[in-house]
Amino acid sequence: MNARELRRKYIEFFKSKDHREYPSSSLVPINVLGNEDESLLFTSAGMVQFKPYFLAVAQPPHPRLTDAQKCLRTTDIESVGDSSHLTFFEMMGNFSFGNYFKPEAIEWAWEFLTEWLKLDPSRLRVTVYKEDDEAYNLWLTKIGLHAERISRFDEDKNYWPGKAVTMGPNGPCGPCSEIFWDTSPDLPFDNEWNGDGNRWLEIWNLVFMQFERIGDLIIDNALTRDGHWENVELLPLPNKNVDTGMGLERTSAALLGMPSVYETDVFQPILKRIGELSKRNYETADEPIKVVFRIIADHIRSATFCIADGVRPENTGRGYVLRRLIRRAILKGQRQLGFKKPFFADVFPAVVEVLSDQYPELIERRDFIIRTLQDEEDLFRSRLAEGIKRAEGLALTGRDAFMLYDTYGFPLEVTMELAQERGLTIDLEEFNRSLEEQRQRSKVAGGIAEDVFSKDAGVLQELTKTIPATQFAGYSGCEAEAQVVGLIVEGKIAQSAKKGDRVEVILDQTPFYAESGGPVGDTGKITSPTGSIEVLDTQKVNERWAHIGKVLEGEISVGEQVHAVVETARRMDIERNHTATHLLHAALRTVLGAHVHQAGSLVAPNSLRFDFTHNKAMTEDEIRGVEELVNHEILSDRVVQAHADMPIAEARERGAMALFGEKYGDKVRMVEVEQFSRELCGGLHVGHTSQIGQFRITTESSVASGVRRIEAVTGIGAYQYGVERDRLLREAAATLRTSPNEIAAGIERLQNQLKQTEKRLEGLRTEQASTGAEVKVFEVDGIKIVAQKAENTDAKSASIIADRLAEQNPDSAVIIAAIDEGKAMFVAKVPALLLQKGVHAGNLVREVAKIAGGGGGGRPDFAQAGAKDLSKIDEALLAVPGIIEGQLKSK
Ligand code: SER
């Protein structure tokens, strides 16, 4: 049974136990309610999407579910390449939501392994949480395992999620019982096993989800989101649940009796492909080379699935993890397998071969995946050489590592590996400090929220349980009087904050718009009689608004009355971009058709981004058409009106556009641009379209198969865009030494010149290659004459060739017939020795040229003459010995 069959078998088994099959969710952690799980970068386990079911905030479609889930964990990235660790893997799972519990979970896992898969029970052992007598007794009495095969361990080993934050999401957790496979059955059974080591391979984890973990999530590594918990408290969940995860690749290796996951059918074709591309053989390679093969095979799987789920290589967050995986694989391939040219995207077809039947997105998004991989490899290669050279002169301090990361896009590991090769270690604290400093420097929209807020989201969630929902007072203005109802200071719930503290302030009502969907959160100021706070971002959790920022002066306490003021200019810019987004949406549907739907958006003060369904690149005409239509609506000064509390049926009837996958209540808010657009939307807009000023599309590109992206600017941003374009044009014109209007003609001229130069260069190359072959040597009265016919050679090249021949043949007369673009010329050079004997270059070329219908002359030692009749060149050259003989005689 191979891995593919094992996948089916597992689902079939649990279906026979009344489970319903559920599709894999995306690697980007989106739960069953369609919300992103902020506590994780990636889906790292089968249960991630089901969190709302475990917390009992939503009803599952069936109390028992089963699935094969794509998972990504980078916790073990350093171990990838050994026999069992992977970053991307498939986790088979069976789940109970308040239905069955420990007895069934244990019994079925054992039944599946020993009866359906027929794994040898004498090669299995289990672990349980040290205080879980129930699970211990079930293994002992119900399954009949010998006590020596049941080990008890503490929370480090038998609690899930464990301490590593990247393992599993914030929230539901519980004691677990793990099943291990003996990879060395010939060794005597180890009674004293401490749970570590390579002999026993963990293949299945049964988690008894009983608690909700509340605590402070401390992110230690801002890049990878690794971190740990502090001040943990466990609250019982409303139900007792089961979450199990069986590693598909590991169990498959056990089934096949193979020593490593890489020997299974989901890896072999990938390793083979790497072998073909690198002209090496995985089977016969040395262990260190095998490790590189495996790392590339692992990373290509992770990278392609990330890209298929919409992640793009970037320098932070999820995109950084992707970039790191791609670049790490490429670097190893280059350095250890000798790939000189881009190769990584060429491995992808093998991933399609082994996994696309289960995950059709690999085929659907094939072109996009390949292009993303290729682009990233090109970018990395162009930076790599430069960066490595730069690194050579450095002591590789933490600050240097940051510079390489920031300027050359070197993932930290790449620099760490360079350092290791030189026996150095990178100061990670210094690296993180530099990273933090840079973040502080660039407090752009959203930036601060990503750093601070996600770290505190758990705390805010906790705080929301004790305070009422925030009233939003921002539709009617930018200011409000309010009361402080909650404070989080430096990540902890607090009663007051003082100057310099990093805070999140929760008010009973607020004019600040909190980020949701497209638009980013507002910034501004909150002042009280005793202090003031700079608000750098606004986010919301459970309808409680968090004003994120810093205490500028004095102090601020819970219960105080404050005055909250939004930064108006920035708010206006966001509104311009937001209304423009609605206009753009309607314009796209007019120009491209009704198949266009919004697939995502970002509305920031300085630009807007709009993703939409459309399956080919827009033409230049379509882009300009859409841009013109939007600008037309702006100039028509349409009234923009929000209709609050409209029954959803009425909004539908009036043709209001709703977003896919969005859940709406009975009453909705419809934003209408008079005679042009109607959309369901809770956001803020300009009152009249003319306030947008101007709208310019800056780029149109692909995000995923069937999804295009438009980036655009409005208002002063559009004006600045024009100014910047103008500057670029003027700069280009100045470089071309022409006026902006003449740029195209100037470029054409340059291109023509370049073409000619290339042609000549080519001629020169040919000539160089044929040097010797085309050269004729004559002898007259003991004097040597070297003659050469050179095609595609202009005057300048001809004299260079003449000089070179003269140098190689001292004391010889040299004559070149150079042919270029239908014209020919002769160049002659005569050394001093022959001048004395009466040889004259000027007279020589004149006579020779005459034969070919031309004329000219010059000095005795160097002369040039033009010719017209190209068919006579050979004849003319053959006449040279006779002419020189005549010159010698007449002396
Ligand atoms: N969530 C548990 C794990 O990932 C079991 O599925 O190990």
Side-chain angles (χ1 to χ4, degrees), residues 44-47 73 91-92 95 160 167 178 202 205-207 209 243-246:
S44 55
M47 58 71 68
R73 283 183 194 173
M91 190 181 276
M92 306 304 304
F95 305 92
W160 203 92
M167 269 294 187
E178 298 180 334
E202 182 203 333
N205 186 11
L206 318 176
V207 187
M209 292 275 176
D243 148 40
T244 90
M246 187 192 85

Side-chain angles (χ1 to χ4, degrees), residues 764 767 771 774-776 785-791 793-806 808-809 813-819 824-829 844-845 848-849 862-867 873 876-877 880:
L764 265 183
E767 184 269 325
T771 300
E774 277 288 302
V775 175
K776 289 196 175 66
I785 305 156
V786 182
Q788 184 175 6
K789 188 164 118 183
E791 304 271 358
T793 305
D794 62 0
K796 200 164 160 227
S797 311
S799 42
I800 294 172
I801 298 172
D803 285 345
R804 204 183 58 217
L805 280 179
Q808 290 163 354
N809 304 279
V814 170
I815 182 160
I816 309 291
I819 300 162
M825 68 180 308
F826 294 97
V827 178
K829 222 173 138 102
L844 172 66
V845 293
V848 176
F862 182 80
Q864 299 180 355
I873 299 293
L877 280 181
V880 171

Side-chain angles (χ1 to χ4, degrees), residues 545-608:
W545 264 237
H547 304 79
I548 304 163
K550 224 169 152 175
V551 182
L552 287 182
E553 273 170 303
E555 41 173 61
I556 196 141
S557 310
V558 173
E560 263 183 326
Q561 289 297 321
V562 293
H563 185 63
V565 187
V566 173
E567 196 185 324
T568 329
R570 183 175 175 278
R571 154 80 75 86
M572 274 294 288
D573 283 337
I574 298 171
E575 289 178 355
R576 277 185 249 280
N577 282 324
H578 196 179
T579 308
T581 305
H582 286 211
L583 294 179
L584 172 61
H585 191 179
L588 283 167
R589 289 170 67 95
T590 307
V591 173
L592 300 178
H595 62 278
V596 169
H597 286 282
Q598 174 165 349
S601 79
L602 175 75
V603 179
N606 48 353
S607 64
L608 68 91

Side-chain angles (χ1 to χ4, degrees), residues 490-737:
E490 301 293 340
K492 302 218 164 64
I493 295 171
Q495 288 304 310
S496 68
K498 56 177 192 324
K499 183 172 173 170
D501 282 346
R502 211 197 58 181
V503 288
E504 279 163 47
V505 185
I506 296 96
L507 303 176
D508 59 345
Q509 61 160 337
T510 181
F512 283 74
Y513 187 80
E515 176 170 336
S516 73
V520 299
D522 275 329
T523 61
K525 218 167 170 179
I526 296 173
T527 44
S528 77
T530 55
S532 71
I533 292 168
E534 181 188 14
V535 179
L536 298 163
D537 192 9
T538 311
Q539 299 276 337
K540 62 177 175 188
V541 166
N542 299 343
E543 295 310 305
R544 274 76 172 177
W545 264 237
H547 304 79
I548 304 163
K550 224 169 152 175
V551 182
L552 287 182
E553 273 170 303
E555 41 173 61
I556 196 141
S557 310
V558 173
E560 263 183 326
Q561 289 297 321
V562 293
H563 185 63
V565 187
V566 173
E567 196 185 324
T568 329
R570 183 175 175 278
R571 154 80 75 86
M572 274 294 288
D573 283 337
I574 298 171
E575 289 178 355
R576 277 185 249 280
N577 282 324
H578 196 179
T579 308
T581 305
H582 286 211
L583 294 179
L584 172 61
H585 191 179
L588 283 167
R589 289 170 67 95
T590 307
V591 173
L592 300 178
H595 62 278
V596 169
H597 286 282
Q598 174 165 349
S601 79
L602 175 75
V603 179
N606 48 353
S607 64
L608 68 91
R609 198 174 77 197
F610 186 75
D611 297 346
F612 58 98
T613 49
H614 182 56
N615 54 16
K616 50 182 181 291
M618 286 174 73
T619 64
E620 196 54 32
D621 279 353
E622 287 168 342
I623 295 173
R624 293 288 82 87
V626 166
E627 197 179 72
E628 262 178 49
L629 184 51
V630 172
N631 279 301
H632 180 268
E633 291 307 307
I634 292 172
L635 294 175
S636 302
D637 194 20
R638 307 265 186 222
V639 173
V640 184
Q641 235 184 330
H643 308 271
D645 291 329
M646 180 180 274
I648 186 137
E650 185 186 339
R652 288 240 165 82
E653 209 169 289
R654 296 178 65 178
M657 285 183 284
L659 298 189
F660 269 151
E662 193 94 346
K663 295 203 165 46
Y664 295 99
D666 298 341
K667 292 280 175 67
V668 291
R669 183 170 184 267
M670 183 179 88
V671 173
E672 177 171 26
V673 179
E674 178 198 25
Q675 294 176 33
F676 194 66
S677 133
R678 287 184 183 136
E679 262 186 57
L680 302 189
C681 175
L684 298 164
H685 290 269
V686 297
H688 288 254
T689 55
S690 61
Q691 288 170 298
I692 298 171
Q694 204 195 105
F695 171 82
R696 289 294 304 267
I697 293 177
T698 54
T699 61
E700 191 274 346
S701 60
S702 158
V703 215
S705 129
V707 182
R708 309 292 305 175
R709 167 170 294 173
I710 279 185
E711 286 167 84
V713 285
T714 63
I716 200 78
Y719 165 75
Q720 282 163 348
Y721 180 74
V723 169
E724 177 59 17
R725 288 275 139 154
D726 222 38
R727 190 187 63 76
L728 285 176
L729 266 187
R730 267 185 284 113
E731 239 177 63
T735 317
L736 282 167
R737 294 200 183 79

Side-chain angles (χ1 to χ4, degrees), residues 3-14 21-22 45-47 50 65-71 89-95 112 117 203-206 243-252 358-359:
R4 282 158 143 154
E5 287 156 359
L6 173 59
R7 210 191 272 128
R8 288 323 312 159
K9 229 9 184 226
Y10 186 99
I11 302 284
E12 200 187 309
F13 176 80
F14 282 99
E21 186 175 358
Y22 202 88
M47 58 71 68
F50 299 130
L65 298 179
T66 177
D67 71 1
Q69 172 66 48
K70 309 180 264 190
C71 294
F89 59 97
E90 292 175 80
M91 190 181 276
M92 306 304 304
N94 55 287
F95 305 92
F112 182 67
L117 301 187
I203 54 173
W204 205 337
N205 186 11
L206 318 176
D243 148 40
T244 90
M246 187 192 85
L248 178 78
E249 297 83 354
R250 288 182 176 189
T251 310
S252 180
Q358 180 71 14
Y359 304 102

